[in-house]
Amino acid sequence: MKSIQHYTHIFFIGIGGIGMSALARYFNQKELQVLGYDKTKTELTQTLKEEGIEVYYQQDIEENVLKTLPQESTLVVFTPAISSNSVLFNYFKANGFDMYKRAFILGEITKNLPTLAVAGTHGKTTTSAILAHILKANQIKLTAFCGGILKNYKTNYIGDGEEVVVIEADEFDRSFLQLHPSAAVITSMDADHLDIYGTSESLTLAFQEFSNLVPKGHLYANSTLDLQAQSIAVNHSADYSIQHINIENGSYRFDFKSKDITLKDIQFSLPGHHNLFNAAAALCLAIDFKPSYADRFAKALASFEGVQRRFNYVYKSDFLIVIDDYAHHPKEIDAVHQAISEMHPEKKSVVIFQPHLFSRTKDFADEFAKSLAQFDEVNLLDIYPAREEPIEGITSKYLLELIDHPKKQLILKNDIQNRIKNASEEVIVLLGAGDIGVEASKISKLLK
């Protein structure tokens, strides 16, 4: 690949994706001409346009627009989820443009910069967001590519400088193997993306390959994982652990300990023990980068407001609580249920779940059924297909029949508002990685 400095124009195919949009913002800040295509107009694509990035929603972009792109100095970045039948993809390929996946470009950016990488099948977005926040709150000049919108800053990209880079190391399509981490954390390695990997063993091998990219002594991992890394745990023995957990006024207070350091009475407001682990993982990487700031990093946890669609309180009153969360894997659903049970034990828990991908529903149907059955009431929307074609026999009705529960039903998106309007003394949680988040946004406006 030519040096990134060679390019004057950057075209993104799939610019509305959360990871792609962060990279688009990076190049826009570098004052390059940034434009792109996405099939869906969203609040995020509208914000990109307001920032000066041109976004198109039809693949048959006017020929005069494409002809203004200089072939020699235009870089085309595409998501691995793009269809091989994409008109734009094939146009750029046929006309000899330089084309690379997003992961490769991130690898080029991180090649010569200190890079803190967050890997894992769950927890990447929240952990990298916490890490970015506690660094920024302490005036460290960082570049952060996050997989969610940080509520503190209302963006998924921070571009304060290049003292350090914070990045999600995404296992999808083996993307994280393109990175150059100075230090990294692996939060989890549960089976997922089996449409890519085939088996859980193949996924584990990819994580082990990623761990080999990290300099010795700078890899941190969940204590349950079989990796040559410094271990992290919550309420268990590990190299780095969170202990003495208390809940005060809806927030956690805890101690963070290792053989070299003890940080006492840390405050953190994100519910759930999975988020306590995420906070510990972020502290490990921040302290690895700047050990003398350990106490300051711990104090900054108190001001972290969270990430959109990660246990977001859409509405909260004495009678009704509505939560929106991105959970789309059985382990993530378990974590959400644990947080609700701990924070709101007196209320009935109701789940409205939108399964994400036919393949994931097929691969983990029994696990989904078990996780969802923990709630007091189960409601299923149709499967959100994303990049996939239907699989015969794999439907939400199929999943519903596997759930051993007396109160379960299939519902439509149009039913959600009525279900919430008629609720009392309940916690209703909307779960899924598809477009159920749009419904949560509508409900927020309705109730407020």
Side-chain angles (χ1 to χ4, degrees):
M1 178 185 173
K2 303 165 190 166
S3 166
I4 286 178
Q5 287 71 30
H6 171 86
Y7 298 101
T8 58
H9 294 66
I10 316 287
F11 192 100
F12 287 83
I13 306 177
I15 197 169
I18 196 70
M20 292 282 276
S21 58
L23 191 55
R25 283 170 157 160
Y26 168 83
F27 284 115
N28 192 48
Q29 188 186 45
K30 299 288 185 185
E31 298 186 344
L32 300 180
Q33 185 68 42
V34 180
L35 63 165
Y37 156 81
D38 205 272
K39 65 179 180 180
T40 307
K41 182 183 289 187
T42 64
E43 186 176 332
L44 180 53
T45 59
Q46 287 296 100
T47 304
L48 293 179
K49 293 193 77 166
E50 291 165 10
E51 294 171 6
I53 297 172
E54 196 60 51
V55 181
Y56 300 90
Y57 301 102
Q58 300 293 330
Q59 292 218 40
D60 54 344
I61 295 173
E62 298 92 332
E63 194 172 337
N64 62 320
V65 173
L66 295 176
K67 284 189 174 179
T68 63
L69 298 174
Q71 183 267 336
E72 178 61 24
S73 60
T74 295
L75 171 64
V76 178
V77 183
F78 62 97
T79 167
I82 197 72
S83 167
S84 59
N85 297 322
S86 163
V87 173
L88 279 172
F89 181 90
N90 287 306
Y91 170 85
F92 288 120
K93 186 176 180 180
N95 286 278
F97 283 79
D98 289 346
M99 302 176 68
Y100 295 95
K101 290 181 181 179
R102 168 182 168 268
F104 180 83
I105 302 304
L106 288 173
E108 290 299 295
I109 292 170
T110 62
K111 189 178 289 184
N112 299 309
L113 294 171
T115 299
L116 307 179
V118 180
T121 45
H122 324 298
K124 289 187 297 292
T125 295
T126 301
T127 302
S128 58
I130 297 168
L131 176 59
H133 171 71
I134 62 178
L135 292 170
K136 182 175 173 63
N138 284 287
Q139 289 76 54
I140 290 170
K141 302 301 181 186
L142 75 151
T143 295
F145 301 95
C146 294
I149 305 296
L150 281 69
K151 295 171 75 174
N152 289 78
Y153 313 109
K154 297 179 174 57
T155 184
N156 56 343
Y157 170 71
I158 296 172
D160 292 341
E162 295 183 337
E163 191 177 344
V164 66
V165 175
V166 172
I167 196 164
E168 286 193 33
D170 188 3
E171 74 279 2
F172 178 71
D173 196 41
R174 294 178 170 81
S175 295
F176 58 176
L177 301 182
Q178 306 275 358
L179 301 178
H180 304 275
S182 310
V185 65
I186 298 177
T187 63
S188 52
M189 298 190 313
D190 293 306
D192 200 3
H193 301 302
L194 298 186
D195 55 325
I196 299 294
Y197 287 97
T199 65
S200 59
E201 291 77 14
S202 180
L203 175 73
T204 299
L205 287 173
F207 273 102
Q208 289 172 339
E209 192 175 343
F210 170 76
S211 71
N212 293 334
L213 301 176
V214 185
K216 189 174 181 180
H218 296 276
L219 177 66
Y220 305 83
N222 192 312
S223 62
T224 63
L225 303 180
D226 184 19
L227 291 168
Q228 296 299 310
Q230 299 185 71
S231 60
I232 310 170
V234 175
N235 264 349
H236 293 288
S237 177
D239 296 322
Y240 295 84
S241 64
I242 282 182
Q243 301 175 6
H244 307 133
I245 303 165
N246 292 297
I247 299 174
E248 295 181 14
N249 300 318
S251 291
Y252 288 117
R253 288 188 178 272
F254 59 87
D255 298 340
F256 177 79
K257 292 188 175 185
S258 72
K259 63 180 173 52
D260 299 318
I261 192 169
T262 298
L263 304 172
K264 288 186 170 292
D265 197 30
I266 300 170
Q267 185 177 346
F268 186 64
S269 62
L270 263 63
H273 281 206
H274 63 299
N275 281 321
L276 287 176
F277 177 88
N278 295 337
L283 278 175
C284 284
L285 287 184
I287 294 168
D288 183 287
F289 174 69
K290 211 171 187 70
S292 62
Y293 276 41
D295 190 58
R296 294 167 63 171
F297 291 140
K299 285 183 170 63
L301 286 174
S303 58
F304 180 67
E305 296 174 9
V307 184
Q308 286 184 13
R309 301 225 59 229
R310 268 63 173 189
F311 212 93
N312 279 7
Y313 283 100
V314 173
Y315 182 79
K316 197 173 186 180
S317 73
D318 292 339
F319 306 103
L320 173 65
I321 293 169
V322 181
I323 295 166
D324 176 35
D325 194 277
Y326 190 74
H328 56 285
H329 185 281
K331 292 288 187 183
E332 294 167 350
I333 296 171
D334 291 343
V336 170
H337 183 266
Q338 183 277 322
I340 290 173
S341 300
E342 183 175 50
M343 292 297 177
H344 308 289
E346 75 289 354
K347 287 184 167 57
K348 174 183 174 184
S349 63
V350 177
V351 62
I352 300 174
F353 178 56
Q354 181 186 49
H356 185 258
L357 300 181
F358 296 103
S359 61
R360 184 180 281 121
T361 304
K362 175 178 176 286
D363 291 336
F364 302 105
D366 291 335
E367 291 87 346
F368 275 124
K370 185 177 179 181
S371 295
L372 292 165
Q374 297 174 92
F375 293 85
D376 295 312
E377 179 186 317
V378 181
N379 301 272
L380 295 186
L381 295 172
D382 286 339
I383 296 172
Y384 185 81
R387 58 188 179 269
E388 291 187 339
E389 295 298 321
I391 297 174
E392 186 176 354
I394 304 303
T395 63
S396 289
K397 183 179 178 183
Y398 160 75
L399 177 57
L400 189 79
E401 289 171 351
L402 295 176
I403 300 171
D404 183 12
H405 202 292
K407 291 203 71 175
K408 60 180 182 178
Q409 62 178 338
L410 300 175
I411 66 169
L412 301 173
K413 289 178 191 172
N414 293 339
D415 300 328
I416 295 175
Q417 290 191 13
N418 285 333
R419 177 63 189 83
I420 289 172
K421 281 181 183 177
N422 296 322
S424 180
E425 296 299 327
E426 293 178 339
V427 178
I428 298 180
V429 57
L430 282 68
L431 297 183
D435 58 3
I436 192 171
V438 176
E439 301 306 311
S441 180
K442 291 177 185 176
I443 289 159
S444 177
K445 292 172 184 174
L446 175 77
L447 294 175
K448 290 177 182 177

